[in-house]
Every structure is written in structure tokens, then in C-alpha cells.
Amino acid sequence: MNILNILAEIEKVDPEVYERLDQRRQVFKHFAGFGKKLATAAVPLAMGAMFQKAYGQSSGLGKQVTDVLNFALTLEYLEYYFYDMGVKTRNLFVQADLAAITIIRDDELKHVNFLKTVLGSSAIAPLTANDFDFTGSKGGKRAPLIPEVFRDRFNFLALAQAFEDTGVRAYKGGAPLLIDNNTVLEAALNIHSVEARHASHIRTMRRGGTQANGLPKSWITGNDGGGPRPGITAPVYGPGMPADMYPSEANVTQAGINLTSIPNVTADQASEAFDEPLDVTTVLAIASNFLK
Amino acid sequence: MSKVMHDATKAQGLSEELQTPLERRTFLRYTGLGLAMGGLALAGCNDVMEDVVKTQDASANATDMANMVDVGSGDVGVLNYAYALEQLEAAFYAQVLQTQYYNSTSAPQRVALRDIEAHERIHREFFKQAITAAGATPIKDLEVDFSSIDFRTKQGVLSVAKAFEDLGVAAYNGAGKLIKTAAYLAIAGKIVSVEARHAAIIRDFLEYNTFVGADVVDQNGLEKSMTPAQVVAIANNFLKEGSKLNVSNLPTE
């Protein structure tokens, strides 16, 4: 088997493969040197080892990194099953809604699969739809928080927005913990901005499309959840723990600079211009409402 | 070799591109492609090609470099790089708000563009102050060249807005790993998601439900990053001579 063919095959599945390899160039160089000596039959085996390193898979990941990624994986499962159930619920959505929710569902599934691949044997046991209760009743053990979640488009979208914005805050909180592993950090950032795009679009949907005025805007104004069930969405936009590290989304001070001191800047605009991170404990408290 | 192989996908556009005069870099790409396709030089190809390109770039740009704005090195360089991009975005939206298009378009678009203008202006002023507060020197105020932009039409304004927002997200995503100080990384993270929100709504204004897509997200659902060199190759088209950016001293990993 020709190595160029192998790479071409992999590229069909993962177009970014060359960039990933490039990030760990020393690994690649190491391999290239080997390539000349290796018998052709041995090449695929060596490739496998190389990719484990390129993606940071294997025992090379520290506990902090696997913890962050497994936490992210839990949230991605949560989002995926939520959207998947929404897509499969008849008459919940009109066609344009369905197209958008399907796009988002598919992205979340890709995130699940990607994180599982990176974590390899360190990944948590796979979650299933049965692990979640999106009405918030914990499988009937308490009164549901959102009984209409799959019967009312606006309740569904409110929870979708809550999940997306929580995801954005969670990845943001996790990123500095990954600073020592460039490959994993970049991948986390690359998922983070996709979640933000989802969040923006869900807000557009809640507003009634691109022709409609009003809240919620596509960015977070103050700590306004912009919709029903403010009691449930409040922690999504409120402060985490500790609050000075994880301020509410209404925060207007960044790196010691009060943004409202800039001429012609309102507090609303200052809060919108920066999103805020959230700590693991607070994110789990929000998410656990929907875990059985 | 990795770069050469990556360019193999561009071979489809080969005949089209051959109609136009070959630039030095383009020529090298084809030469490299030929080598790789011929199955020559598996090992070491990467280094050789990179060195050749590097040498060519250096000689071609030696005189230009002196006239460019060097964003610097290390974390401060990355902050100045971000400051430069925010200057560009802020200048663009400031101009958009002066147009007849802005005044006559739909109310939701006016709200969005007005908000985005404020956000980018805040980002710009924030970086200027933060770099100063960190004891470093912000780069100068850049002079923009928007002569290629049609500010009269929705397509003209929003397609450039889309390009700038997507570019901004890809730039922050690519720069994150270059940052060594956790606090600065956190700041970049706080801004990049806002840029992604901008990108999504602008894209939805242009064509509904294009808030995310294969042009910006790969098959693993990961948004594509861009290196500083890739970013300024685009950004410099919108900057005047003397304000074009040199990012060659930034960290590369």
C-alpha cells in the first residue's frame, strides 16, 4: 500500500489531516524517516501510532485534559439527543426550523464522535437517549420543569438556547485548562465557535427569523435569557463559582478595563461584546436537571 | 510534504489558473505537486519545499517588510495581531453605518449592524488599552483601503461582513494555541464566540440557515482555523501601503 494513497484515503474522512500532522511535525518527521526503512506491509501499523499521537489519543493525555474532554462529551451527548428527539417529534417544527435543527443535531453528533475518538479508551461509557429527560422531571421523580418541551416550539427553542449558551460558556471555561496541549486546545476552540454559531441562530429562530425585531438578540445582552422560564435559564447567564473568575454575562469589566468608560458605549453593548466562561460545577448543576 | 499534498485538491482548478500568469508561489506549488505525484522524495520533501518557499518569500518581501507593520512576537504580538484585526473590522462597520444602504435596510439588519459596530469598536479600544496596561506598545492606528468594497448594496456590504466575521473566528481559533498566558487565552475565548455570533447572523441575513456550513466547519464538526500568515494574506488586501501587517515574528505553535 502506497503511503500517498493512505493519506488520500484518510483525507476523504478527515480533510484536516495534514494540518493535524503538521501541528505535531516532529512526529511526522520521525515517521518520514522510518518510512524509508519500513516494509510496505508495516506502514499502516506505523500510521496508526502516528495518528494516535497526532490527535493526542492514548495514555499521553493527562487527567486534567481527559476530564475536560469527558465533561465536554457529556454535554455533546445531551445536546445531540435533545435535537435528535426534536427532529423526530412530528409537527413540532415547520420546514425551515427542521432544516436548522437537523444541521445542529448533525454537528453535535460529529462532536460526540470526534471527542470519543480523541479520548479513545479514556472516554466515559456511551450515554443513550434513555439517560436524559428533557422535561426536567428526572424520569418522573419530580414535577417536570418544562413539560411542554417537545410539544411547544418556543419551549424547545428556549431550552436549545440554554444548552447552546451553556456549551459556549463551558468550553470557554475549559480552554485555559488545555493550554499545555496545543492540539486539544485548538480542537476545543474549534468546537466552541460552532456552538456559538448555533446559539446565534437559535436566538434568530426565537426572534421569528431575520425579518423580526426584538429580544432575544443574537448575542447576550446583560444576563437576559430572552424568553420563557427565566428561572431555568437564569443560571445559564448568571455568575459561576467563584464569581470573580466566572462573572455573569452582564459583566462589563475585562482585564481590569471598564468597557463603559469607552466613549459612546452602553452597558448593554459592553456586556454583548464579550461572552463569559462558566465553571464545571455550575455547568453540571444546569445539565443535571436533564439527566435522569 | 504535508503542504504539497494538501494542495493536490486544488489541481482541479489547474487549467483555469494556468490561463493567468504564474506567480512564483503558484509555480512552486505545481512543481511540488509534480514531485509528490511522481512518488519521489517521501522523506525530507516537507523540509525541502518549506525551505524553498521560505527563501523565496524572504527575498520577495525583504524590501516590502520595512514598510509593513510588525505586530511583534510572543503573547504581546498575538494581542497586537488581534488588535489589528479588530481595527479592520471596526473601521468597516463604522463606514457601513454611514451608508445609504444601512439607512434604508430592514430594521432588524440595522439593529444587528449597529450592535456589531459597537462590539468591534469595543474590542478595538479594549485591546489598545489592555496592551498598554500590560506594559507593551500597541501598534499604530491602521489606515484601511476599502476601495474594493461596494457599500451600496446588501450583497456588497454583507458579503464582506461575512468574510470579515468568518476570518475573525478562524483567526482567533488559530491564534489560541499561540498564546502562553492563560488570562490572555481567556480573553481571546470571550471575544471569539461573539465574532461567531456575528458571523452566524450575517450569514443568515444573506441566506437563511447558512449560520454554519461546510465552508467553515470540517467533517468532524470543528470550525476551521487559520494561521496568522493565512489571515494577513487576506486582511492586507484591505489595508493601505504602510499599514499592511507583518506577522512573521509571531510564534508558530
Side-chain angles (χ1 to χ4, degrees):
Chain A
M1 203 176 197
N2 186 312
I3 184 179
L4 296 176
N5 290 342
I6 298 173
L7 286 172
E9 286 301 312
I10 294 167
E11 194 193 16
K12 286 180 193 164
V13 183
D14 178 8
E16 311 301 314
V17 62
Y18 303 109
E19 273 123 51
R20 286 189 214 297
L21 293 174
D22 215 32
Q23 285 173 12
R24 295 287 175 104
R25 188 154 322 144
Q26 70 281 16
V27 176
F28 193 63
K29 274 184 184 162
H30 181 66
F31 173 76
F34 258 127
K36 284 186 287 194
K37 297 167 200 159
L38 283 175
T40 318
V43 169
L45 189 66
M47 290 292 288
M50 188 174 79
F51 281 111
Q52 283 203 329
K53 287 180 184 169
Y55 286 98
Q57 198 178 342
S58 85
S59 56
L61 294 180
K63 186 172 184 309
Q64 179 164 284
V65 171
T66 55
D67 283 353
V68 170
L69 294 185
N70 269 319
F71 173 57
L73 178 56
T74 307
L75 295 179
E76 298 291 354
Y77 274 122
L78 172 92
E79 290 182 306
Y80 166 67
Y81 285 115
F82 174 63
Y83 293 117
D84 194 48
M85 288 181 200
V87 164
K88 288 171 179 166
T89 303
R90 289 171 61 113
N91 302 323
L92 181 58
F93 295 122
V94 298
Q95 197 176 0
D97 283 355
L98 192 60
I101 296 298
T102 304
I103 291 168
I104 297 174
R105 189 246 345 237
D106 292 351
D107 280 347
E108 308 300 4
L109 180 60
K110 288 171 189 166
H111 295 164
V112 166
N113 290 333
F114 175 75
L115 290 169
K116 275 164 69 178
T117 305
V118 172
L119 280 158
S121 58
S122 305
I124 53 169
L127 298 173
T128 69
N130 199 40
D131 291 314
F132 300 99
D133 176 357
F134 296 108
T135 68
S137 81
K138 296 227 165 230
K141 280 181 263 179
R142 69 181 188 192
L145 301 170
I146 316 176
E148 301 288 312
V149 66
F150 292 114
R151 291 196 292 272
D152 177 321
R153 172 184 185 269
F154 285 103
N155 277 339
F156 181 93
L157 293 180
L159 189 54
Q161 179 191 303
F163 285 158
E164 295 295 342
D165 280 334
T166 301
V168 172
R169 294 193 73 178
Y171 275 102
K172 214 183 303 292
L177 301 172
L178 304 172
I179 198 164
D180 290 331
N181 188 323
N182 278 350
T183 307
V184 174
L185 169 63
E186 181 162 23
L189 291 174
N190 291 337
I191 296 178
H192 168 246
S193 59
V194 172
E195 303 291 348
R197 285 175 184 266
H198 294 169
S200 176
H201 185 76
I202 300 241
R203 284 165 172 266
T204 304
M205 292 173 78
R206 291 187 70 196
R207 194 164 56 239
T210 48
Q211 300 304 315
N213 271 321
L215 288 171
K217 297 207 254 181
S218 293
W219 21 88
I220 305 167
T221 309
N223 49 21
D224 192 329
R229 307 281 169 181
I232 297 164
T233 56
V236 173
Y237 304 102
M241 294 177 285
D244 58 339
M245 269 183 76
Y246 304 98
S248 89
E249 285 287 359
N251 178 35
V252 296
T253 300
Q254 302 294 344
I257 297 163
N258 185 337
L259 304 176
T260 59
S261 67
I262 299 168
N264 301 315
V265 170
T266 67
D268 277 356
Q269 291 166 333
S271 79
E272 291 166 356
F274 286 74
D275 285 338
E276 298 297 335
L278 206 52
D279 59 288
V280 172
T281 308
T282 307
V283 172
L284 274 181
I286 296 166
S288 67
N289 282 314
F290 306 97
L291 286 162
K292 279 184 187 168
Chain B
M1 193 187 77
S2 56
K3 284 199 172 65
V4 173
M5 284 302 300
H6 205 53
D7 282 336
T9 54
K10 291 173 185 156
Q12 287 163 334
L14 192 82
S15 59
E16 196 180 291
E17 286 185 39
L18 281 177
Q19 314 281 327
T20 57
L22 280 177
E23 286 174 20
R24 192 179 292 128
R25 216 186 240 278
T26 319
F27 171 73
L28 279 169
R29 186 201 297 163
Y30 293 144
T31 315
L33 184 60
L35 275 176
M37 291 305 220
L40 294 171
L42 166 61
C45 172
N46 191 31
D47 305 357
V48 174
M49 289 310 297
E50 255 184 22
D51 288 347
V52 173
V53 172
K54 222 177 267 172
T55 312
Q56 297 287 358
D57 278 355
S59 63
N61 294 334
T63 45
D64 303 338
M65 287 286 196
N67 196 30
M68 294 176 104
V69 177
D70 186 349
V71 299
S73 61
D75 277 357
V76 168
V78 180
L79 294 179
N80 261 320
Y81 166 59
Y83 175 43
L85 298 180
E86 297 294 353
Q87 285 195 45
L88 187 61
E89 285 190 304
F92 170 72
Y93 289 105
Q95 191 153 337
V96 168
L97 294 200
Q98 303 302 314
T99 59
Q100 177 62 30
Y101 165 71
Y102 169 77
N103 285 312
S104 59
T105 191
S106 69
Q109 273 190 49
R110 282 205 304 279
V111 170
L113 290 168
R114 186 202 63 206
D115 281 357
I116 296 173
E117 186 277 331
H119 303 162
E120 305 299 5
R121 183 159 43 83
I122 291 167
H123 293 163
R124 180 190 68 199
E125 294 305 306
F126 165 78
F127 276 116
K128 189 171 191 174
Q129 290 189 33
I131 292 167
T132 306
T137 309
I139 56 166
K140 68 174 185 176
D141 293 351
L142 301 176
E143 287 187 68
V144 296
D145 175 1
F146 291 150
S147 56
S148 62
I149 301 171
D150 178 3
F151 282 98
R152 294 166 302 175
T153 64
K154 174 182 174 180
Q155 190 65 29
V157 169
L158 293 190
S159 64
V160 174
K162 169 185 159 183
F164 278 156
E165 297 296 346
D166 284 344
L167 184 70
V169 178
Y172 276 104
N173 277 345
K177 67 178 180 189
L178 310 180
I179 299 172
K180 298 296 168 237
T181 308
Y184 295 156
L185 174 62
I187 286 292
K190 287 169 174 229
I191 293 175
V192 64
S193 53
V194 175
E195 304 290 353
R197 292 173 193 275
H198 294 168
I201 186 70
I202 295 284
R203 291 165 69 101
D204 274 337
F205 279 136
L206 274 166
E207 187 182 353
Y208 196 63
N209 274 349
T210 61
F211 54 100
V212 71
D215 57 331
V216 285
V217 174
D218 74 11
Q219 293 178 43
N220 287 316
L222 274 58
E223 183 142 9
K224 297 169 186 174
S225 294
M226 287 173 82
T227 65
Q230 290 171 323
V231 170
V232 298
I234 297 168
N236 280 345
N237 292 320
F238 299 97
L239 293 166
K240 282 189 180 160
E241 287 301 325
S243 282
K244 293 187 192 294
L245 301 168
N246 167 13
V247 292
S248 63
N249 293 316
L250 285 181
T252 54
E253 59 184 45

